Amino acid sequence: MFIIHASSIAASIVTTLIAIALVLSFAMLGSHWLKNHILAFAGESWVIAILSGAVAYYGNYKELYLIAILTALFRGTILPLLLMRLARRLDIEREFTPLFRPASGMVVGGLLIVVAFAVSNSLGTKLGVTNKIALVALTAMFGLKLIGFLLMIVRSEAISHILGLLVIENGIFLGSQILVPGLPFLLELVILFDLLIIVMTFGLLVRYLKTHAGTTSSQQLQKLVG
Amino acid sequence: MTLILILWLIPAIAIVINLPSPWKLRSDYINLAAALGVFACSLILLISTSNEQSNLLHGYLIISSFGNWVTFCVSTVYLLASIYSVGYIPLLKLSPSHTRRFYMLMEGFALSMLVAPFMNNPGLYWIAIDLTTIISAFLVGIEREPESIEAAWKYLIVVSAGLSLSLLGIVLFYWGGTFHLGPVYQMTWSSLHQVANRIPPSFLLLAFLLVLIGFGTKAGLAPMHTWLPDAHSEGPAPVSAMLSGALLNTALLGIVRFLAILNGTKASGPAHLAMIVIGIFSLIIAALFIVRQRGIKRLMAYSSIEHIAIITIGFGFGGTLGIAGALYQMFNHSINKSLMFFGAGNMMRGYASKEIGSIRRVLSSYPATGAAWLLGAIAITGAPPFGLFQSEMSIFRAGIISSNTWALWIVVIALIVIFIGFLNHFRSMYFGYEPNPDTVPTLKMNAWLVSPMWLALIALFVFGIWWPTGLMQFFIRAGRGL
């Protein structure tokens, strides 16, 4: 199993990459410019692609090389380009209605990472896994999930919600590459394509929102209540 | 295998036929023919499968009594909704290409729901459920009204966020297994069940709770239900029926299969309790919102939450009676909710309003539709002599002999509140004050709009007075196969 048999150099590379992915999610929390969000997401996806490559190399999982290439292509390139185009079409450069200031958002994000670490530590102990890589991967998986939810809660623009969801997906993908690199290959492939379809669907619906509802902000989408 | 292929091919072929072509084919009739074919296939599958569970296609497909039952529920609702659509869709005044697109989406939606129950890999099941979300979001927003687009958006974003939690749960389940089965093993329901006993119970419970919240979002369990009243009320009536009667059951199937993975482990008891607690919370939320509801389709939507909550509680109680009652409730909910959404659609178009307050003296204006709708309302609250009474009684009996008898008291109180609240709305619509002369309906009902309501009502009545022995034995088999 990769998390148990990884060499110290592999462990260092993987841990560093996870740390970079987490820092990039904080960049998303700390900025209100949509372009920065999308670039940070693209960066995070490339980091995950490199991570897949590293696990493939050190863990000898050949099919992960293909996953790494597809991750860089889909998550790291096509999805950010689609989102950039969507932001341009909607003429939105910045999230104008944040509930938190950037600094407060980052503090809450930090607290969520602490919670994620506590949960991961407790889970690791129960499973008898005291390995550093497993602990860091679990923390990143739960942490990115929580940060993704935080992004969706504190931001009101539809495109920010899509980005929040993508951060959540990135977290699961990152965690599963390290914890279960042997996850059926077909499943990983289908999830990648599924993500592309869902982002395209989101894009289409956001444009419908703009055309038919006149807004893409959840603060103004308040017609349906009760 | 051949039967499953035919089951999938029928809607797939219907989609292809509905693609733009020089021949002017009636997409509503094509869809209806596909629905009839799907219904026949699912019925044959239901009757012909004798063993509890078998695998096909190198273990990628699973044929089980439980899956076949959910497929049958889906195909029944699809057939009823297809009959109703022939009469209802022209009322929306969609363009011909828009109408064609609607039917293609409907066939795609049915196909995705027919695929999910046969997935033996929990990950592939997750993807099938995700696909149902994508396709049905477009169906919800088909009318392109600001409210329907808002509902479609909320549906997509809330359910996608929820489903991401269940994906995390699935990854954790698989990870737990790697410590005993090695880093690479086949991800199937049975392989996870085999290894579950060797995974620490608290870890299993966490993974199950993630799955419960994730697929629970899709099934409309509170407090993750927020998308449901919007999506169910803003989509066209046949889509609402499919979302409620078919999709919720398909999502619940995943939760129940994960619950079954835990059977025999120490996490099983707490997991069953979690099902009961989330079911009761949903029931209370449904009761509160039903009493104060003003929108007619929103009323039906909250009733869907109520039914799904009861089914969840039934599986939570467990045992032969609990599972049999829950499975019976699934089917009765499917046909009863279809009836109610069709009636609501007819009234909305007839009175040109979604408000309960604008619908008055239904029986005088629409005797045939009105009678079926009123009887359906009595049936939906769980009153005899209709199917839901039988299934709810079975779940009550399971509750009495379970270790969670306390839950039964809350269920009974909530159901009494729902009974009074729901029928009070119908009292005002049928026997309330005289209508304003301006709101007298002018729309004439036709057989396409009324007949599926009566078909559903007759089935509800038959299943209310007669619970076939063969069906009970089938439910026992389905329970054992879990």
Side-chain angles (χ1 to χ4, degrees):
Chain A
M1 201 183 286
F2 175 72
I3 51 169
I4 295 170
H5 301 118
S7 61
S8 59
I9 178 86
S12 303
I13 291 172
V14 167
T15 316
T16 312
L17 288 169
I18 294 174
I20 296 172
L22 273 175
V23 169
L24 283 168
S25 68
F26 273 84
M28 293 174 86
L29 269 177
S31 167
H32 286 157
W33 294 95
L34 272 178
K35 197 179 165 191
N36 291 353
H37 291 182
I38 299 169
L39 286 176
F41 166 73
E44 195 177 84
S45 302
W46 275 91
V47 168
I48 293 171
I50 298 168
L51 194 81
S52 296
V55 176
Y57 180 74
Y58 289 107
N60 205 21
Y61 292 98
K62 296 273 184 288
E63 67 271 17
L64 280 189
Y65 284 119
L66 182 60
I67 293 288
I69 295 167
L70 290 175
T71 305
L73 185 69
F74 280 108
R75 286 177 191 255
T77 314
I78 297 177
L79 291 186
L81 284 176
L82 282 174
L83 289 170
M84 284 281 193
R85 199 175 67 160
L86 190 63
R88 256 200 319 274
R89 279 190 177 179
L90 297 173
D91 201 20
I92 304 168
E93 287 190 344
R94 231 196 114 146
E95 171 75 83
F96 282 104
T97 49
L99 293 178
F100 284 157
R101 274 187 264 170
S104 324
M106 286 168 80
V107 170
V108 176
L111 290 173
L112 291 176
I113 296 291
V114 174
V115 171
F117 175 76
V119 173
S120 309
N121 200 21
S122 154
L123 270 185
T125 315
K126 288 204 170 76
L127 278 172
V129 182
T130 46
N131 187 289
K132 195 174 75 178
I133 308 179
L135 192 61
V136 175
L138 260 183
T139 307
M141 187 155 77
F142 288 127
L144 285 177
K145 184 126 209 151
L146 293 173
I147 288 179
F149 274 117
L150 182 67
L151 279 169
M152 291 173 85
I153 293 165
V154 299
R155 306 270 158 92
S156 58
E157 270 300 331
I159 199 162
S160 296
H161 291 163
I162 303 176
L163 276 162
L165 203 64
L166 288 174
V167 170
I168 293 175
E169 293 266 353
N170 262 0
I172 299 174
F173 207 69
L174 180 150
S176 61
Q177 297 299 301
I178 300 161
L179 300 175
V180 281
L183 194 77
F185 181 59
L186 172 75
L187 190 65
E188 300 204 25
L189 274 184
V190 180
I191 287 176
L192 271 174
F193 283 106
D194 176 70
L195 198 67
L196 185 68
I197 294 171
I198 206 156
V199 168
M200 286 162 76
T201 312
F202 274 129
L204 204 59
L205 269 180
V206 173
R207 278 161 54 204
Y208 285 165
L209 270 180
K210 186 79 177 169
T211 317
H212 300 282
T215 178
T216 51
S217 167
S218 59
Q219 292 199 334
Q220 278 147 12
L221 290 170
Q222 302 277 359
K223 282 198 177 116
L224 303 168
V225 283
Chain B
M1 180 68 210
T2 320
L3 205 56
I4 297 175
L5 266 182
I6 298 171
L7 187 78
W8 292 346
L9 272 175
I10 293 171
I13 291 171
I15 295 171
V16 174
I17 297 175
N18 271 330
L19 284 170
S21 69
W23 307 287
K24 289 208 160 83
L25 298 165
R26 286 278 302 257
S27 41
D28 48 357
Y29 289 158
I30 294 167
N31 180 59
L32 183 56
L36 271 168
V38 164
F39 179 75
C41 278
S42 71
L43 190 62
I44 296 168
L45 197 67
L46 193 70
I47 297 165
S48 64
T49 311
S50 51
N51 49 348
E52 285 160 17
Q53 200 170 297
S54 58
N55 294 336
L56 289 172
L57 214 71
H58 307 292
Y60 276 104
L61 300 186
I62 181 172
I63 304 201
S64 65
S65 303
F66 182 33
N68 289 350
W69 183 247
V70 171
T71 309
F72 181 66
C73 292
V74 170
S75 63
T76 308
V77 178
Y78 179 37
L79 177 61
L80 290 172
S82 297
I83 301 171
Y84 183 74
S85 297
V86 179
Y88 188 80
I89 297 305
L91 302 178
L92 300 181
K93 309 226 179 321
L94 301 174
S95 67
S97 65
H98 214 142
T99 304
R100 207 180 54 238
R101 212 174 307 144
F102 168 82
Y103 281 110
M104 284 168 69
L105 283 168
M106 191 138 155
E107 286 140 9
F109 185 32
L111 178 61
S112 60
M113 287 191 288
L114 292 169
V115 166
F118 295 102
M119 291 296 109
N120 196 21
N121 180 320
L124 292 179
Y125 166 79
W126 181 89
I127 286 161
I129 291 291
D130 205 28
L131 276 179
T132 63
T133 315
I134 296 169
I135 301 170
S136 53
F138 284 110
L139 278 169
V140 170
I142 197 90
E143 289 181 74
R144 303 277 168 87
E145 297 290 331
E147 288 88 354
S148 59
I149 298 288
E150 181 181 329
W153 172 257
K154 284 183 182 170
Y155 170 43
L156 199 60
I157 207 85
V158 174
V159 170
S160 299
L163 284 179
S164 73
L165 283 172
S166 52
L167 184 62
L168 180 61
I170 293 171
V171 169
L172 287 185
F173 264 111
Y174 190 79
W175 186 45
T178 57
F179 293 97
H180 307 283
L181 299 178
V184 184
Y185 67 97
Q186 212 181 10
M187 187 202 267
T188 60
W189 301 107
S190 59
S191 66
L192 292 180
H193 179 57
Q194 277 162 15
V195 80
N197 232 337
R198 289 143 77 187
I199 303 174
S202 50
F203 181 83
L204 272 183
L205 191 62
L206 175 77
F208 175 75
L209 289 179
L210 285 168
V211 168
L212 176 63
I213 294 170
F215 288 127
T217 310
K218 184 79 184 178
L221 291 169
M224 300 83 68
H225 68 289
T226 48
W227 63 272
L228 191 144
D230 297 348
H232 286 204
S233 64
E234 295 308 319
V239 175
S240 309
M242 297 260 285
L243 281 171
S244 174
L247 185 59
L248 302 187
N249 287 340
T250 317
L252 212 54
L253 175 127
I255 298 177
V256 176
R257 282 196 168 148
F258 274 104
L259 185 70
I261 287 175
L262 268 54
N263 277 346
T265 69
K266 282 184 182 158
S268 180
H272 278 83
L273 183 64
M275 294 279 283
I276 294 172
V277 169
I278 204 166
I280 283 182
F281 186 69
S282 307
L283 202 57
I284 293 170
I285 294 287
L288 294 176
F289 278 86
I290 281 173
V291 170
R292 64 179 289 276
Q293 200 44 249
R294 289 192 197 150
I296 186 61
K297 279 180 84 184
R298 292 184 86 83
L299 180 70
M300 303 307 158
Y302 280 105
S303 170
S304 302
I305 297 174
E306 174 218 335
H307 283 172
I308 288 300
I310 295 173
I311 298 171
T312 309
I313 293 168
F315 282 118
F317 284 149
T320 308
L321 279 172
I323 293 173
L327 290 172
Y328 205 32
Q329 176 91 353
M330 271 185 172
F331 181 70
N332 289 321
H333 154 74
S334 294
I335 51 176
N336 207 160
K337 201 45 59 65
S338 302
L339 189 172
M340 296 313 287
F341 270 117
F342 299 157
N346 288 351
M347 292 311 138
M348 262 176 58
R349 296 292 149 191
Y351 289 86
S353 173
K354 290 177 183 170
E355 297 293 313
I356 292 172
S358 305
I359 302 169
R360 287 290 178 263
R361 300 294 161 119
V362 175
L363 274 178
S364 328
S365 311
Y366 298 115
T369 307
W373 204 37
L374 183 61
L375 289 169
I378 294 167
I380 214 162
T381 52
F386 298 102
L388 282 164
F389 173 73
Q390 288 266 20
S391 45
E392 286 178 11
M393 281 307 288
S394 176
I395 292 170
F396 289 171
R397 286 165 65 199
I400 292 168
I401 54 173
S402 80
S403 54
N404 295 298
T405 321
W406 57 271
L408 207 55
W409 293 100
I410 308 174
V411 173
V412 170
I413 293 167
L415 285 184
I416 291 171
V417 173
I418 290 170
F419 179 82
I420 297 168
F422 201 92
L423 289 183
N424 186 43
H425 291 304
F426 272 75
R427 181 202 54 77
S428 68
M429 286 190 287
Y430 279 71
F431 312 109
Y433 57 80
E434 282 294 325
N436 185 335
D438 301 337
T439 58
V440 173
T442 50
L443 178 78
K444 278 204 164 59
M445 294 291 160
N446 58 41
W448 294 111
L449 294 171
V450 183
S451 60
M453 293 176 69
W454 280 98
L455 276 175
L457 187 69
I458 292 166
L460 271 174
F461 178 69
V462 171
F463 285 115
I465 54 169
W466 177 54
W467 185 334
T469 321
L471 203 55
M472 189 63 192
Q473 281 162 353
F474 173 83
F475 290 150
I476 293 170
R477 210 164 56 226
R480 269 207 308 262
L482 278 174

